[in-house]
Amino acid sequence: MKKLACTLALAGAFATVSASALAWGNDGHRAVGAIADKLIKGSNAEKQVAALLLPGESLEKVATWADCVKGNWCGPQTPEMIDYVNANPKHSEYHYTDVPFQLDEYHDHGVGTFDDDIVQTLKSAIAVLQGKDTPQTNPHRFSKRQALLIVTHLAGDIHQPLHVGAGFVGKNGKFVVPKSHGEVDSLNVFDSRGGNNLLLDDAVLTATSDKLIPPAPPKEGAAPAASKSPTKPFHSYWDTTVVDYAMRRSSTRTPEQFAQYAIDSKPTVSVNTGDVSGWPYQWANESLAVSKAAHKDVTVGAVSTQTSRSGESYKVWALTVPENYPVPSSALAREQLIKGGYHLAALLRAIWP
């Protein structure tokens, strides 16, 4: 099988904020929210959601709120966003966890997990929606509205496989599974930060996708496409590119169209069991399984050194991915987007039966 050359710069200090900021991108998050909007229609959950949202809002429209509070891409910050950021200085950490992708389950205090990661934050926000608002269950002091906004967004994030399963590389240039947090020392074991520094040859990968995936129809009023960067972080590829591919393969152009496509396709979606406080663990474990597939046949190659603009040196590994990678990755993304919408709707119906 032919391979596409990639580069993995495994120095956490050089990871860009924007690369980890838009899991599933705007369209992907909105698609998850739109699916949930349709699935709770006519239920008590819809009434309870509407009571927490502002006039004109929907789950689709607020699905990107937790990313927009980071600034720079959604316009001016609202007073509500500013208050949330001031009260949650670690809010950027709520969106992911970094469990080694080779593992099968997320465990509290396990390697790559942390107190403010996506599983723990979802647990807290779900507890607030259940009416369990105590210092122990709600350490971030989320309001009920904030909890809904956060759950809506993180239900999308946790189904993005690289927001749960992360790659760690040993000094021998192979993927490894660290046994403790302390082993990830950037000397013997390097953290790829969920693939943020894994750089795909975007030009080659796009050319390959054009052969395998139908071209996207132009959107009305859309601006001309910007020139493509020669590289794309692996994480960013999973945040945005696969969403575009998934929508194209579904013959849809908008989140609303994708949501209707998803429901009409009558998908088989895993049913969560037990108390809803445990559902984030189940979602994380399912995403770990998908993360294994996302890393399938992705291999680490020769090591070299690069220098940042500030003059600091860091290690780089050459990697390869299968030439047809856009096909299985877009199929996985489509399944995960649909699963995210269905799981979000099921959660809200369980909280408000």
Side-chain angles (χ1 to χ4, degrees):
M1 184 185 299
K2 294 181 180 179
K3 302 287 185 177
L4 300 177
C6 312
T7 301
L8 178 56
L10 296 174
F14 306 106
T16 59
V17 173
S18 60
S20 62
L22 292 171
W24 291 137
N26 288 336
D27 281 352
H29 275 294
R30 289 179 56 205
V32 169
I35 292 170
D37 278 328
K38 292 179 180 295
L39 293 176
I40 66 172
K41 197 167 185 62
S43 68
N44 181 47
E46 181 187 35
K47 295 178 182 178
Q48 298 298 326
V49 166
L52 294 173
L53 297 180
L54 302 176
E57 289 183 336
S58 63
L59 294 176
E60 176 188 350
K61 291 181 179 178
V62 303
T64 59
W65 187 90
D67 272 345
C68 289
V69 299
K70 300 173 184 178
N72 300 328
W73 52 82
C74 298
Q77 300 288 280
T78 65
E80 180 183 35
M81 290 178 177
I82 294 171
D83 289 343
Y84 171 80
V85 170
N86 289 339
N88 293 273
K90 293 185 177 181
H91 68 91
S92 293
E93 298 181 6
Y94 299 168
H95 300 244
Y96 62 92
T97 192
D98 286 326
V99 178
F101 72 83
Q102 299 94 330
L103 300 184
D104 295 325
E105 294 183 342
Y106 172 104
H107 293 287
D108 291 348
H109 311 300
V111 176
T113 70
F114 45 99
D115 292 342
D116 296 314
D117 70 13
I118 190 168
V119 173
Q120 303 307 320
T121 303
L122 271 168
K123 280 177 58 181
S124 296
I126 289 170
V128 173
L129 293 180
Q130 290 180 295
K132 301 174 181 178
D133 190 352
T134 69
Q136 291 72 37
T137 61
N138 186 19
H140 306 295
R141 299 182 181 178
F142 294 144
S143 69
K144 210 162 188 178
R145 171 175 162 81
Q146 287 174 337
L148 176 62
L149 298 176
I150 293 162
V151 164
T152 301
H153 183 81
L154 297 190
D157 277 352
I158 201 169
H159 287 85
Q160 205 275 50
L162 269 64
H163 270 243
V164 178
F168 295 85
V169 177
K171 62 181 179 181
N172 62 352
K174 298 182 182 298
F175 284 125
V176 297
V177 181
K179 297 179 181 178
S180 67
H181 295 288
E183 284 190 7
V184 187
D185 57 5
S186 297
L187 293 173
N188 298 297
V189 178
F190 300 81
D191 180 5
S192 72
R193 291 184 176 267
N196 270 318
N197 295 334
L198 174 62
L199 304 180
L200 299 170
D201 188 331
D202 195 31
V204 177
L205 195 58
T206 300
T208 302
S209 72
D210 289 342
K211 300 176 185 177
L212 303 171
I213 297 174
K219 295 183 180 180
E220 294 182 7
S227 59
K228 296 183 180 295
S229 168
T231 58
K232 178 185 286 289
F234 192 39
H235 189 111
S236 179
Y237 171 84
W238 273 94
D239 274 354
T240 56
T241 305
V242 292
V243 175
D244 173 58
Y245 292 167
M247 293 180 70
R248 283 160 57 180
R249 296 187 73 193
S250 307
S251 299
T252 61
R253 295 190 299 171
T254 67
E256 163 67 25
Q257 290 174 353
F258 183 85
Q260 192 60 55
Y261 160 86
I263 293 172
D264 290 345
S265 68
K266 302 185 185 308
T268 300
V269 178
S270 58
V271 177
N272 299 122
T273 58
D275 189 84
V276 293
S277 63
W279 289 14
Y281 291 89
Q282 297 174 40
W283 296 347
N285 293 343
E286 289 184 20
S287 284
L288 268 176
V290 178
S291 185
K292 289 179 181 60
H295 287 86
K296 181 178 173 60
D297 296 326
V298 175
T299 56
V300 182
V303 62
S304 60
T305 301
Q306 291 188 357
T307 304
S308 70
R309 292 180 180 178
S310 63
E312 297 181 76
S313 296
Y314 57 99
K315 293 183 181 298
V316 173
W317 282 262
L319 276 78
T320 57
V321 298
E323 185 180 25
N324 70 334
Y325 195 75
V327 173
S329 61
S330 61
L332 288 172
R334 179 165 58 187
E335 292 175 6
Q336 289 301 102
L337 289 168
I338 293 173
K339 193 183 297 182
Y342 270 79
H343 282 168
L344 173 59
L347 174 71
L348 297 175
R349 281 179 171 272
I351 292 173
W352 296 302

